[in-house]
Amino acid sequence: QPTGLYYWQTDFAIGVDNDPSTFFRPPKSSGSIYLNSMMYRELLAMVYLSKQLDLDETAVQYQKYAEDLRESIREHCWDERDGFYYSVDLNLLPVDPDHVLHQNMPRDWHCLIQRIGVWSGFMAMWAEVATPEQAEIMVRKHFYNTETFNAPYGIRTLSRMEKMYNLKASSNPSSWLGPIWGISNYIVFRGLVNYGYTEEARQMALKTIYLFGRDLERFGVLHEYYEPENGEAVLNPGFRNWNYLVLNMIAWME
């Protein structure tokens, strides 16, 4: 792939089920910022494991893979206009030098940025792909924006300004069209910690601790995802796994 980015083969079982940048899109067309942030950290994990096994040459190779991917993400997924990281569209026709209407100026870009306000743009801070200058813009323009992401109980998984914003309960696919999830709250929190935004990280931690504590007090269980404005549980009582990351937030607060 000319961009150097990873992409989803299909929209099936990607974790963020109905993320509009991938959901119902053509196969192999989504250069997802979510996926590429994950893969950058995976490559760094391979560096660590290789060093632990005294595989120094392998560690150097994976370090190069990681650095190349980081630069590709910065080049293609950062949007200077909006000051945010986005997924990109790879679904472009091949360059045909014989095409009459194209031949005098064939495209010299390999993807098109998807300016869809998805929470996973903040993952560039979690993965430490964003530069400090980019992180400052993201916090100032997007973390604090109550019209888009910032809600009383955390970060909306889709900006409230998007036409696709929808809080209707849904399972398989689970809804990432705006509801609050424990995992996205945590990843945004960790990104803020990474770049030294201690007060903002504290706000995220408190919102999440209160959200889950309130759920436990009322129902004795945690749920899969929640209403952004009032913290009401939407679906799947008894949902656990990554919700327990709130314990890391509590430990950080202490």
Side-chain angles (χ1 to χ4, degrees):
Q1 221 294 322
T3 62
L5 296 172
Y6 288 84
Y7 54 87
W8 291 118
Q9 295 289 320
T10 71
D11 67 350
F12 180 72
I14 61 172
V16 283
D17 299 12
N18 56 6
D19 173 350
S21 64
T22 303
F23 193 56
F24 267 81
R25 285 194 44 76
K28 304 181 181 180
S29 67
S30 177
S32 164
I33 184 61
Y34 166 88
L35 172 63
N36 281 278
S37 296
M38 289 282 194
M39 290 307 301
Y40 175 66
R41 291 295 293 265
E42 287 288 306
L43 292 170
L44 292 181
M46 287 298 294
V47 174
Y48 172 80
L49 292 171
S50 298
K51 288 180 178 178
Q52 298 305 304
L53 296 169
D54 295 322
L55 299 173
D56 294 337
E57 290 185 9
T58 302
V60 170
Q61 183 180 33
Y62 276 101
Q63 185 68 45
K64 177 66 164 55
Y65 292 157
E67 291 172 0
D68 287 348
L69 178 57
R70 182 189 63 201
E71 294 313 304
S72 292
I73 298 170
R74 287 177 177 174
E75 177 183 356
H76 297 293
C77 299
W78 172 251
D79 182 37
E80 192 68 33
R81 188 190 77 177
D82 289 358
F84 201 60
Y85 273 92
Y86 292 116
S87 297
V88 298
D89 177 17
L90 305 174
N91 189 34
L92 305 180
L93 293 173
V95 175
D96 178 2
D98 297 322
H99 193 293
V100 174
L101 293 178
H102 296 175
Q103 59 187 358
N104 289 331
M105 185 175 279
R107 65 172 171 85
D108 58 1
W109 56 90
H110 300 301
C111 63
L112 292 174
I113 203 156
Q114 292 180 292
R115 290 190 174 100
I116 302 171
V118 182
W119 76 275
S120 47
F122 290 107
M123 288 184 70
M125 293 177 62
W126 166 80
E128 297 186 83
V129 166
T131 67
E133 294 77 17
Q134 290 169 346
E136 189 275 329
I137 295 170
M138 292 169 70
V139 171
R140 174 168 44 83
K141 291 184 66 173
H142 300 284
F143 174 78
Y144 277 111
N145 192 340
T146 57
E147 295 301 312
T148 56
F149 292 111
N150 195 303
Y153 286 88
I155 290 293
R156 299 182 185 94
T157 46
L158 186 69
S159 164
R160 191 166 58 176
M161 300 294 287
E162 297 292 349
K163 291 183 181 296
M164 300 79 76
Y165 186 76
N166 190 333
L167 302 179
K168 182 175 68 175
S170 172
S171 183
N172 290 328
S174 295
S175 178
W176 295 78
L177 297 178
I180 300 292
W181 285 70
I183 183 64
S184 46
N185 268 13
Y186 179 80
I187 287 178
V188 173
F189 155 80
R190 182 54 61 186
L192 293 165
V193 172
N194 288 345
Y195 287 81
Y197 291 96
T198 304
E199 177 53 33
E200 291 79 2
R202 180 176 172 275
Q203 292 174 27
M204 281 298 299
L206 287 173
K207 287 181 178 184
T208 310
I209 293 166
Y210 183 68
L211 173 68
F212 286 158
R214 180 172 174 267
D215 205 20
L216 284 171
E217 284 184 348
R218 295 174 69 200
F219 302 109
V221 296
L222 301 179
H223 288 74
E224 188 173 9
Y225 51 88
Y226 300 83
E227 293 264 357
E229 310 306 321
N230 58 23
E232 288 297 315
V234 177
L235 206 65
N236 290 345
F239 191 83
R240 294 180 293 274
N241 54 60
W242 54 50
N243 283 350
Y244 289 142
L245 287 169
V246 70
L247 298 176
N248 291 6
M249 290 176 159
I250 294 169
W252 180 83
M253 290 284 289
E254 290 176 344

